[in-house]
Amino acid sequence: MKKVFLIVAFAVTSQFAVANNADQFKGLTITPVDQLESNQSEVVVNDKTFRTNGANKVVPGLDVFDESGFNAYTVTGEIIVKLSGDVDFEQFNKDNDLIIKQAYKEYYILKSQSNRDLLPLVDALKQLDGVSSVTLELADKGVIQK
Amino acid sequence: MKIKTSLLAASIMLACTPAIAKITDSTFPLVAGDPLVSQQWHLQNTGQTGFSQSAGVAGNDLDLDFTHLMGIKGRGITVSVIDSGVEIDHPDLRANVVDGSINLGDGSNYPQDNNGHGTSVAGLIAATEANGLGGRGVAPHANIVGFNYLPNQTVGNWLVAHGLSEDFRQLDRFTDPRVFNQSYGSTPASPRIHDYSLDPWQELQDTVYQDITEDSHWGRGSVYVKSAGNSFEVYNAYYRGYRILVLPYENNQFFNNQGLPFHNANIASDNNNHWNLVVSALNAEGKLSSYSSVGSNVFVAAPGGEFGEAAPAMVTIDLQGCDAGSNVAGEHGNALHGGTELDPNCDYTGTMNGTSSAAPNTSGAIANLMSANHALNARQIRHILAQTARKTDAEHPGIDLTFENSEGELVTYNAIPAWQQNAAGYNFHQYYGFGAVDVDDAVYQALFSPTTALPEQVITPWQLQTANTEIPDASLTGATSKLAFEQDVTVEAVQVKLNIDHTRLRDLAIELISPSGTRSILMSARTGWLGTTEGGYTNTLMLSNHFYGESAKGEWQLKVIDTDKGSSYTLGYHAALGLVGFNRENNAENGVLKDWSLRVIGH
């Protein structure tokens, strides 16, 4: 049992490079990946289907993973808006409790100030004249110290 | 006064050194004044242990004694540490901290580090010299700013940490960063799609990298330094929301990958965008650190050490106190740890490692180089590093992979070549890029060799080549496609975008051969992919520095070889899932090299 705890520590908390030990896996059986059960919910973000561990509202802090299961992300609440013309965000932001976090060239980074469902907000932004694309930011959970 | 003394001493040394000897090959003692510096093998390797249980091999270090003797120590150069945060009031760091740090969690100017990683990184770059405390940084007079980006990862925070400040000013002040250290990264388990129309965030990132590299600081630009990754043997990835440990499995043996790298630095999007200078890690014997990721996108190698118990790691600063950071109270395999006489308050560590350490050692080296000649631009810095890197582990034989082909015969494939020299005379190795960073040679060149400006950089349009060629299963024959490139450009880097159908990507080796005949391994066989993206590689980007200085004009060849008929696969482990086997079945159909595109960054 102690060995199993050690492996878990590897998988979950490793911050630096660590040494490996094959003895840790002796006695464990290998399950083919297609035999694993799945009981997760689906959400569509940025026109792609993602799965969650039960949640179906896309709010800041939600963890999602893609259909392959190999990529996991956190919804940060920030929205990347690419412009194709002039857009006056002032009234829109006031109405939707958004702030401009950053602006760079044709990109605006908006941030939701509340814990609301972000998908209707993204749809509303897409309707604004002068907006080229709207992307809900998904922070890659795989980015760690190396 | 210290600078004047150093310069005088250096002048005398120069005058006394026979013309035939190279001054930078001589060894000069580092100045005294830091009790731990004698164990910092990465600064001057005398065969010390670094408080571990074994010694390194003398001479395998950054070679900076002449540079420090000259008083060249990063003065006037600011390095940004984008990490877990930085303990900027650490007594061995605070003298070099300048305004500009941001806590990305609460907006204050104290980049709280609850982990210790970023603090150790900052210490490697610019811990204070000769203050009677701890050791010192590679550039002990450089300035430091820190950002706790890793616990606060959002696009807005990424922009702030990578040079776009919240008040939208340009990077043009002397205290603005000219070096950005990124000791972080990801190890994707399936290939990334490079398509800006699907991923505006990627486009935004690449645009910022390019802008600041080329245009900040009145056109001299900044250098982004990036760790290659720690995934040579295993890596962590997510599967269905669980963070799993991923490892190779072959011939009923865990961790058996035939000696080949299990993962490749060329996979992550921010490692193959050209703007990041990617660094692999060396141990105290001058060989690849056991964990270091490698790939054709590695530019140089620098000390990262091993784990600090059986073999030396880095000696650097740690979070203050014996209840925080890596060095805490209690027994430890590293003799510095646990509140010892040399460090009773546990403010230092002897176990910092990883390409996380190789990157800041390179950032410090670049700060020294920039401070030697402030007029050098970001491309010239890269050029000098490529020209002066040292051929470390010179006898490394490469790795041959023997496998059973589809006819049942054992065949051998040279999966990792030994050191090669390209047609422009540059040495290159998949593990080390152009070689180990050599600060003295780089600084000497910056100071004394006339460095003419490089011609204006060009990035050629993508040139598409359709192939639709079958990849025979388990065969050295492979699929080959040729592309005629008409532009007469001198290569600085080459990027390739691939479309390949194949259900077991870990079987594939991908090679790019230049018109001059240089063979670069873009993706080595037995790379531990867990899955495909849309049935294989889909618009997957890879970069090679291997052709630096060669002419791009002529015929390029891409070769894809399937090296396994199903004998190896990949395991994932998490307590909630158990051991999970991926890629257990061989591909039912032969793969297909559909098309590929190539572009050249050069002049």
Side-chain angles (χ1 to χ4, degrees):
Chain A
M1 198 59 182
K2 196 174 176 183
K3 285 176 182 169
V4 174
F5 283 133
L6 180 58
I7 300 163
V8 175
F10 261 31
V12 177
T13 64
S14 166
Q15 306 288 359
F16 303 89
V18 290
N20 303 305
N21 181 358
D23 291 343
Q24 299 157 358
F25 301 109
K26 278 184 182 161
L28 297 174
T29 52
I30 299 169
T31 308
V33 66
D34 47 17
Q35 290 179 17
L36 290 180
E37 290 182 3
S38 176
N39 56 350
Q40 286 123 352
S41 306
E42 279 186 9
V43 292
V44 176
V45 180
N46 301 335
D47 300 324
K48 283 172 66 179
T49 301
F50 292 87
R51 297 184 191 279
T52 72
N53 285 320
N56 46 26
K57 248 179 135 180
V58 179
V59 297
L62 175 69
D63 285 342
V64 301
F65 48 96
D66 66 4
E67 286 190 292
S68 74
F70 298 134
N71 298 292
Y73 305 92
T74 300
V75 177
T76 66
E78 295 191 5
I79 302 166
I80 304 165
V81 182
K82 188 176 181 183
L83 307 184
S84 55
D86 291 335
V87 178
D88 182 2
F89 283 115
E90 194 172 335
Q91 191 58 46
F92 185 90
N93 286 355
K94 199 180 285 181
D95 293 344
N96 293 283
D97 203 14
L98 288 168
I99 58 165
I100 297 174
K101 186 90 185 282
Q102 268 279 20
Y104 172 68
K105 296 194 170 175
E106 66 268 40
Y107 293 95
Y108 272 70
I109 311 302
L110 308 183
K111 184 170 177 58
S112 172
Q113 296 292 89
S114 62
N115 207 36
R116 59 178 292 186
D117 188 344
L118 296 165
L119 293 182
L121 193 56
V122 168
D123 289 339
L125 278 164
K126 285 179 177 171
Q127 303 307 314
L128 294 177
D129 287 340
V131 168
S132 165
S133 71
V134 182
T135 308
L136 196 56
E137 193 215 356
L138 299 175
D140 184 348
K141 285 172 70 75
V143 175
I144 55 170
Q145 40 279 62
K146 288 284 180 182
Chain B
M1 189 60 188
K2 273 182 190 166
I3 294 173
K4 281 181 184 171
T5 309
S6 298
L7 285 171
L8 177 63
S11 303
I12 293 168
M13 293 287 185
L14 279 169
C16 296
T17 305
I20 50 167
K22 205 169 147 200
I23 184 75
T24 55
D25 287 344
S26 303
T27 299
F28 307 105
L30 301 177
V31 298
D34 296 309
L36 300 183
V37 75
S38 62
Q39 293 300 323
Q40 291 186 292
W41 62 268
H42 63 291
L43 302 180
Q44 192 162 61
N45 192 337
T46 58
Q48 63 270 65
T49 64
F51 303 104
S52 74
Q53 291 138 34
S54 67
V57 175
N60 289 294
D61 52 37
L62 285 163
D63 188 22
L64 50 61
D65 51 317
F66 176 70
T67 300
H68 279 199
L69 182 71
M70 293 277 287
I72 296 167
K73 300 175 181 180
R75 178 81 66 196
I77 302 299
T78 299
V79 183
S80 175
V81 177
I82 307 166
D83 213 290
S84 56
V86 178
E87 195 174 77
I88 54 175
D89 53 355
H90 192 290
D92 212 2
L93 198 60
R94 61 185 172 219
N96 288 333
V97 172
V98 294
D99 289 347
S101 299
I102 297 178
N103 183 323
L104 296 168
D106 65 14
S108 72
N109 59 9
Y110 188 85
Q112 180 70 37
D113 182 7
N114 293 324
N115 178 285
H117 186 271
T119 299
S120 293
V121 163
L124 287 171
I125 297 166
T128 314
E129 177 188 68
N131 60 350
L133 298 172
R136 71 186 57 149
V138 174
H141 292 171
N143 302 324
I144 286 286
V145 295
F147 298 89
N148 50 358
Y149 169 69
L150 292 175
N152 299 289
Q153 293 182 47
T154 68
V155 57
N157 287 342
W158 187 93
L159 292 170
V160 170
H162 288 75
L164 292 181
S165 67
E166 283 176 315
D167 58 3
F168 312 128
R169 66 176 159 71
Q170 300 292 311
L171 288 182
D172 57 6
R173 302 182 304 195
F174 279 117
T175 51
D176 286 333
R178 279 204 76 197
V179 186
F180 292 87
N181 187 82
Q182 306 158 96
S183 290
Y184 66 81
S186 64
T187 312
S190 58
R192 295 288 189 242
I193 299 174
H194 184 77
D195 185 339
Y196 288 155
S197 67
L198 299 175
D199 191 357
W201 167 218
Q202 190 64 59
E203 183 182 32
L204 173 57
Q205 259 189 323
D206 288 351
T207 306
V208 170
Y209 276 132
Q210 181 171 0
D211 254 11
I212 291 180
T213 300
E214 292 179 343
D215 297 329
S216 65
H217 297 276
W218 307 286
R220 288 174 302 148
S222 303
V223 178
Y224 288 95
V225 179
K226 180 78 175 48
S227 54
N230 301 331
S231 304
F232 191 98
E233 296 173 314
V234 295
Y235 67 96
N236 288 114
Y238 279 88
Y239 184 64
R240 295 186 183 178
Y242 296 102
R243 188 156 185 253
I244 61 173
L245 179 72
V246 187
L247 62 149
Y249 189 75
E250 188 159 354
N251 297 329
N252 296 318
Q253 289 177 306
F254 298 107
F255 302 111
N256 181 357
N257 207 42
Q258 305 276 13
L260 290 166
F262 185 54
H263 220 268
N264 196 298
N266 219 351
I267 287 169
S269 303
D270 48 3
N271 276 1
N272 58 30
N273 66 10
H274 173 68
W275 309 113
N276 277 325
L277 189 149
V278 175
V279 186
S280 62
L282 297 170
N283 61 27
E285 295 179 352
K287 296 180 177 174
L288 190 77
S289 298
S290 55
Y291 50 77
S292 178
S293 296
V294 298
S296 59
N297 60 328
V298 169
F299 200 84
V300 286
E306 294 292 347
F307 304 107
E309 295 191 23
M314 297 284 110
V315 176
T316 180
I317 68 174
D318 189 30
L319 294 180
Q320 295 173 77
C322 290
D323 57 354
S326 302
N327 182 355
V328 293
E331 298 264 319
H332 197 278
N334 184 282
L336 179 64
H337 283 216
T340 56
E341 191 178 344
L342 267 173
D343 181 23
N345 196 40
C346 308
D347 292 348
Y348 297 87
T349 175
T351 59
M352 177 65 183
N353 65 10
T355 54
S356 281
S357 297
N361 284 328
T362 304
S363 292
I366 291 171
N368 285 333
L369 192 50
M370 286 175 166
S371 73
N373 184 344
H374 284 254
L376 293 171
N377 65 33
R379 275 174 75 213
Q380 288 172 307
I381 296 289
R382 291 174 78 110
H383 187 62
I384 290 173
L385 287 175
Q387 286 190 315
T388 57
R390 188 174 68 239
K391 195 174 174 182
T392 190
D393 192 12
E395 303 306 317
H396 188 279
I399 299 176
D400 287 339
L401 170 66
T402 299
F403 65 93
E404 190 177 294
N405 70 10
S406 54
E407 310 292 316
E409 304 160 331
L410 285 180
V411 293
T412 299
Y413 168 65
N414 181 228
I416 300 286
W419 277 97
Q420 298 168 276
Q421 190 172 69
N422 75 12
Y426 287 89
N427 295 316
F428 195 89
H429 193 293
Q430 187 87 354
Y431 286 6
Y432 310 115
F434 297 109
V437 172
D438 191 309
V439 179
D440 281 353
D441 279 3
V443 164
Y444 192 90
Q445 181 161 326
L447 284 172
F448 302 119
S449 300
T451 307
T452 53
L454 292 166
E456 189 177 351
Q457 191 169 61
V458 295
I459 300 176
T460 67
W462 284 106
Q463 187 171 328
L464 173 68
Q465 183 65 51
T466 302
N468 289 325
T469 305
E470 198 164 276
I471 307 163
D473 190 47
S475 168
L476 289 176
T477 304
T480 302
S481 173
K482 295 176 180 177
L483 180 153
F485 194 85
E486 299 300 330
Q487 283 184 261
D488 191 8
V489 179
T490 300
V491 174
E492 292 173 31
V494 172
Q495 285 177 313
V496 166
K497 207 161 45 175
L498 287 165
N499 283 297
I500 295 173
D501 280 348
H502 200 290
T503 56
R504 269 173 58 97
L505 297 181
R506 74 177 261 99
D507 295 358
L508 299 183
I510 302 171
E511 305 178 351
L512 182 65
I513 301 161
S514 72
S516 303
T518 302
R519 172 176 168 258
S520 181
I521 308 295
L522 299 181
M523 190 59 58
S524 46
R526 301 292 200 277
T527 294
W529 297 110
L530 292 180
T532 66
T533 298
E534 298 179 5
Y537 289 111
T538 302
N539 281 327
T540 304
L541 189 67
M542 296 176 193
L543 179 138
S544 179
N545 292 310
H546 203 144
F547 311 107
Y548 197 93
E550 290 188 352
S551 169
K553 190 174 182 178
E555 187 176 81
W556 292 81
Q557 286 185 59
L558 188 85
K559 188 169 183 183
V560 184
I561 299 162
D562 184 315
T563 66
D564 192 6
K565 56 184 183 185
S567 62
S568 71
Y569 55 101
T570 310
L571 296 178
Y573 179 80
H574 187 280
L577 302 174
L579 268 177
V580 182
F582 297 87
N583 302 312
R584 287 168 68 98
E585 303 296 329
N586 194 25
N587 43 301
E589 296 175 3
N590 283 346
V592 176
L593 168 58
K594 295 195 295 186
D595 62 65
W596 58 295
S597 306
L598 179 143
R599 77 174 179 182
V600 175
I601 297 119
H603 56 264

